[in-house]
């Protein structure tokens, strides 16, 4: 296990962001990868919890998580100055060799796409980003949208909010496509709830595009040993931790 010092903490309702110092992880992390964090100093809960990397820069990286159960509740109790035990960076990453990119983020799927957007911009690749939330309780996540410069940036919510496009990310994509073509070769990257990814898999607008999705699964080990993270693929099972979490959309079965 590696150690990371929590150097910053921000909490907004059920969302917590930690900035951590750990050069070993920060210097080698790429967008799409995750860490497995020990949430307790005892054996209960036993399993580490997987969290995507929000950004990495110099000696620092960050994670952003939603408190959904016991593990994340315990983790949220840590404060600046505490030390995390963790494994990582784990998994593969998104492809960066694209001429331009369209990023589709749903809810906390913004985490790894935030890192991807920052990285693509740094290497001079033009990005557009559509970000959708289900209701106003998630609005704080819009802070993690990345300025797309010349690209298009859209924010949508399924619940009605004044001044915000109302609908799902699929509705936002269809609306985007009425004013903007998605040129051949565009790298499309999606991360969000399974229902969103399933809807994108069937969508004719993405039929001829290379689409990569990041999957979530309940994980035991995080590095290919326990096989708890199996997800149905077109050609047998995919192991989300060791073969993913990023997969070509065409390889995933729903
Ligand atoms: C590669 C990867 C990256 C992730 N990145 C993030 C992230 O950046 N931010 C974030 O908030 N969450 C992320 N998750 C989900 C996060 O790992 C779970 O929410 C967390 O492990 C729940 O732990 P818990 O003990 O609080 O909840 P539990 O008490 O274990 O479960 C509470 C609820 O969460 C569901 N759940 C538990 N584990 C997972 C899981 N791995 N995936 C989906 N649902 C789960 C359970 O089915 C249950 O409904 C990621 C998961 C994976 C696999
Ligand atoms: S989590 Fe153990 S094999 Fe993937």
């Amino acid at each position: 296990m590696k150690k990371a010092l929590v150097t910053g903490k921000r909490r907004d309702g059920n969302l917590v962001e930690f900035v951590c110092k750990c050069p070993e992880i920060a210097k080698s992390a790429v967008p799409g990868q995750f860490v497995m964090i020990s949430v307790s100093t005892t054996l209960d809960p036993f399993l580490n919890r997987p969290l995507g990397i929000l950004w990495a820069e110099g000696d620092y990286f960050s994670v952003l998580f939603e408190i959904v159960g016991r593990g994340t509740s315990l983790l949220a109790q840590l404060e600046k100055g505490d030390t995390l035990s963790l494994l990582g960076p784990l998994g593969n990453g998104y492809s960066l060799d694209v001429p331009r990119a369209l990023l589709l983020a749903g809810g906390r799927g913004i985490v790894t796409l935030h890192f991807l957007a920052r990285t693509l911009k740094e290497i001079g690749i033009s990005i557009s980003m559509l970000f959708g939330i289900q209701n106003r309780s998630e609005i704080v996540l819009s802070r993690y949208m990345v300025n797309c410069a010349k690209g298009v940036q859209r924010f949508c919510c399924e619940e009605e909010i004044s001044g915000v496009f109302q609908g799902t990310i699929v509705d936002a994509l269809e609306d985007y496509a009425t004013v903007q073509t998605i040129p051949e070769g565009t790298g499309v990257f999606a991360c969000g709830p399974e229902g969103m990814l399933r809807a994108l898999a069937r969508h004719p607008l993405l039929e001829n595009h290379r689409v990569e999705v990041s999957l979530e699964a309940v994980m035991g080990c995080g590095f290919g040993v326990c096989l708890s993270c199996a997800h149905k693929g077109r050609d047998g099972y995919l192991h989300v931790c060791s073969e993913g979490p990023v997969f070509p959309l065409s390889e995933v079965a729903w």
Side-chain angles (χ1 to χ4, degrees):
M1 293 290 263
K2 292 173 181 159
K3 300 283 179 200
L5 178 69
V6 178
T7 59
K9 178 180 180 183
R10 172 176 205 154
R11 181 163 179 173
D12 283 292
N14 268 348
L15 282 169
V16 181
E17 180 184 347
F18 285 144
V19 176
C20 306
K21 185 173 183 189
C22 178
E24 272 176 285
I25 292 178
K27 288 189 191 302
S28 58
V30 295
Q33 287 189 302
F34 63 99
V35 288
M36 289 289 283
I37 304 187
S38 165
V39 293
S40 158
T41 49
T42 70
L43 292 180
D44 177 34
F46 182 64
L47 297 175
N48 299 327
R49 298 299 194 263
L51 292 180
I53 297 174
L54 178 68
W55 54 261
E57 222 175 275
D59 291 346
Y60 297 86
F61 73 95
S62 169
V63 289
L64 170 69
F65 62 95
E66 191 181 347
I67 302 170
V68 294
R70 182 131 183 277
T72 43
S73 302
L74 287 168
L75 197 57
Q77 287 169 21
L78 295 186
E79 296 296 341
K80 192 174 163 181
D82 286 334
T83 299
L84 290 173
S85 294
L86 74 181
L87 299 170
L90 297 167
N92 61 0
Y94 297 104
S95 302
L96 302 178
D97 58 338
V98 291
R100 74 197 76 73
L102 173 61
L103 279 54
L104 306 172
R108 67 182 192 218
I110 190 84
V111 172
T112 56
L113 291 183
H114 173 89
F115 190 10
L116 177 65
R118 283 168 65 142
T119 306
L120 290 173
K121 269 184 77 178
E122 262 170 42
I123 55 179
I125 293 167
S126 149
I127 56 166
S128 289
M129 187 175 211
L130 312 185
F131 173 50
I133 56 171
Q134 282 181 327
N135 55 57
R136 61 183 67 235
S137 73
E138 295 179 306
I139 209 160
V140 64
L141 285 169
S142 61
R143 172 188 306 139
Y144 299 95
M145 286 185 76
V146 171
N147 183 336
C148 293
K150 288 187 193 146
V152 174
Q153 194 169 333
R154 292 269 173 87
F155 175 48
C156 65
C157 181
E158 289 178 44
E159 192 183 325
E160 189 178 347
I161 302 178
S162 164
V164 173
F165 179 90
Q166 189 179 3
T168 64
I169 194 87
V170 175
D171 299 324
L173 174 67
E174 287 168 356
D175 185 62
Y176 167 84
T178 60
V179 287
Q180 202 84 27
T181 53
I182 308 174
E184 204 176 311
T186 302
V188 183
F189 302 96
C191 186
E194 188 149 323
M196 165 188 145
L197 302 182
R198 198 180 301 125
L200 294 178
R202 297 196 195 107
H203 206 287
L205 273 174
L206 300 180
E207 232 167 28
N208 298 316
H209 292 279
R210 167 172 145 184
V211 184
E212 290 184 4
V213 293
S214 178
L215 299 181
E216 279 195 10
V218 174
M219 290 189 177
C221 67
F223 47 84
V225 172
C226 71
L227 307 186
S228 67
C229 63
H231 192 291
K232 266 192 187 166
R234 292 249 181 242
D235 201 13
Y237 280 93
L238 305 169
H239 291 105
V240 176
C241 72
S242 52
E243 296 169 276
V246 178
F247 295 93
L249 185 54
S250 56
E251 285 182 14
V252 183
W254 305 97

